[in-house]
Amino acid sequence: MEVPLISCMQRIVLYETTARFYIVGSNNNETRFRVLKIDRTEPRELNIHDDGIEYSQKEIRNLLQMIDAGNKPRQAQKPGQCGYIRTVSAFGIVGFVRFLEGYYILLITKRQKIALIGYHTVYKIEDTRMVYIPNDGVRKVNSDESRYVKMFLNIDLSSNFYFSYSYDLTHTLQYNLAPSCGGVGQSASQPETVCTEQSKTSGHEKNRRTDVVLGVQHHPTYKYAWNTYLMEPFVEVVHPDWLMYITHGFITQSNIVVYGKSIYLTLIARRSNQFAGTRFLKRGANCEGEVANDVETEQIVHDASIMPLEKARITSFVQLRGSMPLYWSQDISKIMPKPMIGLDQPDPYAHVAGQHFGRVLSRYGAPIVILNLAKSKEKKKHEMIISEEFKNAVDYLNQFLASEHRIQYKSFDMARHVNKRTADVLARLAVIAEDCVKKTGFFHNKPTLYCNQLRTDKRFKGLTQNQFGGTTVQTGVVRTNCVDCLDRTNTAQFIIAKCALGFQLYSLGVLDSPDLQFNTDCARMLEEMYEDHGDTLALQYGGSQLVHRIESYRKMAPWTFHSRDIIQTVSRYYSNIISDADKQNAINLFLGLYQPHEDENPLWEITTDFYLHNVVAREGMTEQDHNYSQWWDVPVARCLPLPYDQVSKGTTGKHIVVKSSKDDERTSAFWDYYKPYELTSLEELYASHMQTTLRNSLSRSLTDLTQPSPFAVHSRASRRQDEMGKTIDPNPNVSGKDASLASDGSDSGSDSDRDADFDVSETSSDEPEEQEKKHRPLKDMFPTMEESYGVSIHNPDKHSIMVYKRYIQIGQNATRSPEDKHSVGSLRKTGTTLIRRSIFSLDSSEHVTPPTVNRKSKDFYAACIKTGQEGPQSPSMHSMAVYRDYVQKLRR
């Protein structure tokens, strides 16, 4: 059995001596330790030593005592003086970096739980610390060092950077749950496979061969790992437990409560580190086919009644956004609101677009559905320049691809339709979205439910055709773009996600139809998540939040939103003109595209970074063997419509394999989630603080309480309309907080944006109706017992009270000891004689002999335990027959 490998180095302490840094890492319960030694006497080079030994708690204490004794000064020894200094405590190593002097180490000093994917916890980086490694005695000072450090720190790692110890955030859920096709367990001797030591198990565990599992860690998608360059100095010399890849983008999670059943909705946006940068400085694509503002958004829906991913029902849907893969840019030398768009160089054979879509086919399969939202009709060509070129490039590439796998191009002039008063833009987008979702499908890790087989919706039939390893997989991807890939793209992605969410909930058996209506608690929650998603991505790329929100395209935004749009437009323009150059330099330095040298010009004196992002141009345009017709790779084409990356999982790249028991903490996510070695209260669990649809239902009007379902249509205004007139920012990023904090329950601060629905202030109002809405008792917010169950509660009559008192008296007499004189007198006074009748041979308040349990009861109890551990079992033939009869009666 193959399971994800969990990193044991989750707690780190940095100890400092004059000659060395000692990094001691341990697991959560501090039973396994590893040590890294870093030499501090080398002024420019990084010397790291990993002995590869796993220490116990006693052994690590002895080692620290030896370090202490060996580094204490011999003369003038003070009582209690230690030979080392405990510098910092951390939760992980981001990497190492060097500018013009020595190396620095980056450590994660503060983290926050942001999401749960099964048992796997996803963390957001809250704070980091950068420590200089060489000691002061060997340090060679350079005047430009401080400026590079300041520029490097402009990349705020506490803003939208995420990591996980057990879940690979650089891959999609479909890839992570797919089985390895190369036999990872048998390929431990291959050169690309690293097989670490086996887990230390007891003799009893060794005899249980069925409990042996393979903990596997596959190579990440380096495109979405933002600390790849920072890990280069030590990735080949340390144990894999020290390695941790971080992603950049946006992650949020909410809980859809369906009559007490939790459905976790998770949104993960992965920003690519290729051709990364700011709005006007990074447009189109580079010579390798990597596009600007490339973001992969994954929407995961998990039936949280069963947490383990291998046993639970979980679905996911992936879509893309990214600039048009062409050589184009905008001239910002002249100050004007809309700089002119121009094609930098011709590409008649669509070589750049071919490289880009070749990688998309490899990761997602076919078909690729392009939704171009740029303008298609203009008096003076502006957006049409690149739209027409993009369409010509797609037509050229499709000539050489099989007809069933061709790129499907859809154009929708969203800006033109929104200006029409009678046009319903979102309705038109909904039709396009349903067609796109049908063509790509979505991932579901379990077979189709029997209830869906009996009442299959016509729109659902075409989504279950692609099977891989017994699961339904998504083949292909929807790629949405406009010019900036911000406002229009985010609204279109929300409509596509809303359509996909309806199909996902239907496949889980939550909905009886894949239709998800607007003005429902579930749709509002999804809309809020995508607005936070759009705000965060817009801040990262454009320098401001969304200018045109989803409500603007629904034509429901109040007039006060127009002033906000103007402010965001000015903020974005200011950021693009003034601060984008410094931000771009920081990105180039952080990703290692520019590496400082004393004999080269500093980064701030370079006039253009074109050669940093275009490797072919930097190394010289050498003659290459370009095939202008076969733009796709042969192995990728053979796997279509399935994605080649998934089909070849375990056969390419480097992966790590650990053989251990299923109860080992390195392979059992149960230990990492529940932490049985810690004292934990329910209030501290992340699930108890997760944003839920119940918050919307609590603030709903009295007339809507008869429909507590999150899928029922209600007339309440959206969250942002309720908050108009209040000084609450829709995205906390402007005030220095991260947008993802809006969906968690951390102790770092309450989210005023979410808590606005719980206004309990005692403000007076002249209007009685407004005061009644603010102060509403709980008895009016929920239906009574008689309305729900047909039973009403009344005060008991006199006879019932006497019977109850007699029952209490009998119980008191039964608990008194017969040797007690007071109790004996009480027995005589009351005249109560207790005759014990029990099936137990020995029955008292202190000792009980349990009766013999028959075989049928034991089997029933074992079946209940198995259901709780593994989920619902397959129904019997008799139960299936009864169920069919019941369904047939309903159809009549």
Side-chain angles (χ1 to χ4, degrees), residues 472-500:
T472 303
V473 298
Q474 176 180 344
T475 55
V477 70
V478 183
R479 188 190 187 278
T480 309
N481 71 268
C482 51
V483 176
D484 297 327
C485 300
L486 296 177
D487 302 343
R488 287 173 284 180
T489 297
N490 193 72
T491 301
Q493 284 195 328
F494 161 70
I495 298 299
I496 297 173
K498 175 178 168 293
C499 177

Side-chain angles (χ1 to χ4, degrees), residues 367-383:
I368 302 173
V369 183
I370 298 174
L371 179 56
N372 185 11
L373 304 174
K375 295 179 180 179
S376 58
K377 291 184 179 180
E378 293 176 305
K379 293 182 180 179
K380 183 180 179 181
K381 286 189 177 183
H382 182 66
E383 297 182 9

Side-chain angles (χ1 to χ4, degrees), residues 634-864:
V634 175
V636 174
R638 290 174 179 173
C639 295
L640 295 179
L642 296 174
Y644 171 76
D645 291 357
Q646 180 178 340
V647 174
S648 61
K649 180 180 178 181
T651 61
T652 60
K654 184 177 180 180
H655 46 266
I656 303 160
V657 182
V658 173
K659 292 183 179 180
S660 65
S661 66
K662 68 176 183 179
D663 297 327
D664 186 6
E665 60 178 322
R666 291 184 293 180
T667 56
S668 175
F670 174 90
W671 287 82
D672 188 58
Y673 178 75
Y674 286 108
K675 294 181 173 58
Y677 44 82
E678 293 183 2
L679 179 61
T680 308
S681 63
L682 293 177
E683 292 78 8
E684 296 175 356
L685 295 178
Y686 171 74
S688 61
H689 298 279
M690 193 184 302
Q691 171 71 12
T692 69
T693 53
L694 289 179
R695 296 193 177 185
N696 292 329
S697 62
L698 286 175
S699 58
R700 201 180 298 143
S701 61
L702 296 178
T703 56
D704 291 339
L705 285 175
T706 56
Q707 295 290 340
S709 170
F711 311 113
V713 178
H714 303 290
S715 58
R716 188 180 70 85
S718 66
R719 176 191 73 176
R720 301 187 185 275
Q721 290 181 348
D722 289 342
E723 294 168 352
M724 291 311 300
K726 302 179 182 180
T727 58
I728 297 177
D729 204 308
N731 190 330
N733 238 326
V734 174
S735 59
K737 298 180 181 179
D738 187 71
S740 57
L741 294 179
S743 62
D744 62 61
S746 69
D747 298 333
S748 59
S750 61
D751 183 19
S752 59
D753 199 23
R754 300 281 180 174
D755 296 336
D757 292 337
F758 299 94
D759 188 29
V760 293
S761 58
E762 299 180 359
T763 56
S764 60
S765 175
D766 297 334
E767 297 292 336
E769 295 181 357
E770 294 181 2
Q771 190 171 2
E772 184 180 356
K773 291 180 180 179
K774 290 184 178 180
H775 303 279
R776 187 165 65 245
L778 290 177
K779 65 179 182 179
D780 295 335
M781 297 176 62
F782 299 97
T784 63
M785 182 178 291
E786 186 174 7
E787 293 174 351
S788 300
Y789 305 104
V791 178
S792 59
I793 300 177
H794 301 285
N795 292 328
D797 54 15
K798 188 175 181 179
H799 176 72
S800 298
I801 293 177
M802 292 179 62
V803 172
Y804 179 72
K805 289 182 177 180
R806 185 64 174 169
Y807 173 77
I808 294 297
Q809 191 178 36
I810 293 174
Q812 292 176 349
N813 293 335
T815 57
R816 293 173 182 173
S817 175
E819 290 77 8
D820 189 0
K821 297 181 179 180
H822 177 72
S823 62
V824 173
S826 177
L827 285 171
R828 293 176 179 175
K829 185 176 180 181
T830 56
T832 303
T833 302
L834 298 179
I835 302 175
R836 299 182 180 180
R837 294 181 179 179
S838 174
I839 60 175
F840 300 98
S841 58
L842 177 61
D843 186 7
S844 68
S845 59
E846 298 180 356
H847 303 283
V848 173
T849 301
T852 304
V853 182
N854 56 30
R855 182 64 178 272
K856 183 178 180 181
S857 299
K858 290 182 179 179
D859 294 341
F860 180 77
Y861 179 75
C864 293

Side-chain angles (χ1 to χ4, degrees), residues 432-453:
I432 299 174
E434 183 173 341
D435 181 57
C436 294
V437 174
K438 285 182 178 179
K439 290 178 179 178
T440 62
F442 61 91
F443 169 71
H444 189 185
N445 68 330
K446 296 292 182 181
T448 305
L449 290 171
Y450 186 72
C451 61
N452 290 338
Q453 296 178 8

